[in-house]
Amino acid sequence: MTKPLTPCPSYIGGEWLLTTTAGTPVFNPSTGEIIAECPAGSVAEVNAAVEAAAAAFPAWMETPPVERARVLFKFKMLLEENFEDIVRCNTREHGKTLVESRGDVKRGMEVVEFACGAPSMLMGEILENVARGIDCEAIRQPLGVCVGITPFNFPAMVPLWMYPIAIACGNTFVLKPSEKVPLTALKIARLLEQAGLPKGVLNIVHGGREVVDALLTHPKVKAISFVGSTPIARYIYETGTKHGKRVQSNGGAKNYVILMPDADVENSTRGLIEAAFGCAGERCMAGSTAVIVGAAEKTVLPTLIEATRRLKVGPTDREAQPDMGPVITRQHRDRVEQLIEAGLKEGAQIPADGRGAKSTEAPNGFYIGATILDHVQTGMTVAKEEIFGPVLNVMRMEDLDTAIELANKSAYGNGASIFTRSGKAAREFKHRVKAGMVGINIGVPASMAWFPFNGWDESFFGDLHMQGKEGIQFFTQLKVTTSRWFSYGEGDIWHR
Ligand code: NAD
């Protein structure tokens, strides 16, 4: 008997609306089953959601920041109470392990905690006597209706990078989650409704390009936050800015991890395994290329290959957990395997081969095992394209200088890490590497809520990043008032 599909409504003006329009199937990647149907959405829905957000804006803007923060405090408590339920929903539609899902939800909750502090961060600046008797002050005001468009790989965290900060600053919001993983975003939004968020402050629509274009061009939308692949990130930035919107647009990545000959073998192997194969490699901060420097090929590399071969892939939607879950769809699994084959044709070797991985418990899941491609060269397809799967490229360099040079040739600039015992090598690397988030003996140096999520180059289009103080700046505009008073007012008779 087929199980009933999980409803996937849109959320507009405080109403949960189910539509019957055909959309995209949402899978449980562990089993290959369809668990929901994400509606295709429509321009009419976008218009309704933006109108609802625009209508809610004046009252929400006038709500004192501390009262807005109280709704977020309540939201945070509800996220804690419902933590495991959200985690399981996340794993079911995404496929990452329960431990990884807990990380996904926790990182998002930290942004909510950060946003609870918005009243202090919204405080402005004042300078008395910019000229005699004249004062000048700068205050932060919200923008209006803001939009978020999110990818499949962090169903909880990425939407939470955006709207908690936006609404804490007094904006209203329309979220379009990934059509591959809409259910976690909906579950979390229900908690915000329960926390007392007024109707229309957060709205959710579904769909693909047509819906995104309607959001990017809508005259009442003031700002766009996007996270996804680089070609779409660039498109969002160009289209949004052309239509006069403020845009922050995070793209894809290819992150280099440098292993120096003096690296601690056990810790660097653990760090690299986690960076390359955590979340089945579907992370914009995945350490997807290991650069083995000099004698590290005799120390770290053999241990890394052994540890990779031991990793078990399997279903994540049950109590017994594998080391690694499936990838998001069958098509994505096939694409990753095709890229591995392209790498082999172009001359790479494969000391750990995850192609054709199967689970006897869940034969229709979208599995691919942890894979290492060794002797990768810069011109190869696998060296240029973001694979976004459990595949680690290994490249070899003679010394730190050539390793940094190699990393700096990448078109992307999200993350870069070094494993070493040398403070001097770490300092050189930190100073010279061309990436916005740097790890020293840390495989995944993803910034946390208090710092900007800081991609450079093709990994980011815009000026102000998500999270941290830049997040507050992105979602507010300064108003500078210069004032002078000539005389005491009529009411001030005691001064006459
Ligand atoms: P994607 O670019 O395919 O989709 C992202 C969003 O854009 C989705 O909501 C999707 O519906 C929408 N979209 C897709 N095609 C579109 C089009 N032609 N026009 C308008 N909208 C469109 O990305 P994905 O596969 O969901 O996520 C994986 C990508 O996201 C990877 O490249 C990864 O590196 C990147 N990512 C980046 C960061 C970061 O912070 N830099 C974080 C997470 C993921």
Side-chain angles (χ1 to χ4, degrees), residues 242-307:
K242 199 167 124 201
H243 288 84
K245 323 292 181 208
R246 190 178 277 205
V247 182
Q248 50 178 196
S249 193
N250 292 12
K254 198 116 183 119
N255 307 307
Y256 288 73
V257 182
I258 295 183
L259 291 135
M260 296 299 287
D262 66 352
D264 176 297
V265 174
E266 199 189 317
N267 284 320
S268 52
T269 305
R270 196 178 314 119
L272 195 50
I273 291 273
E274 160 57 17
F277 306 120
C279 297
E282 293 172 323
R283 273 203 294 218
C284 69
M285 288 297 283
S288 49
T289 304
V291 185
I292 307 285
V293 176
E297 69 180 351
K298 297 203 179 63
T299 54
V300 183
L301 189 55
T303 319
L304 176 70
I305 292 170
E306 274 314 303

Side-chain angles (χ1 to χ4, degrees), residues 149-200:
I149 300 156
T150 54
F152 79 81
N153 66 322
F154 278 89
M157 176 186 79
V158 174
L160 289 172
W161 277 354
M162 301 172 179
Y163 66 79
I165 301 182
I167 65 178
C169 292
N171 302 284
T172 54
F173 206 87
V174 181
L175 173 69
K176 195 218 75 74
S178 165
E179 62 279 22
K180 296 184 181 117
V181 294
L183 303 177
T184 307
L186 290 171
K187 194 176 265 299
I188 292 177
R190 283 198 186 267
L191 300 179
L192 191 47
E193 178 185 52
Q194 226 176 299
L197 191 76
K199 288 180 195 304

Side-chain angles (χ1 to χ4, degrees), residues 258-264 268 418-423 425-426 440-441:
I258 295 183
L259 291 135
M260 296 299 287
D262 66 352
D264 176 297
S268 52
I418 189 168
F419 281 88
T420 181
R421 286 189 170 100
S422 157
I440 296 173
N441 297 317

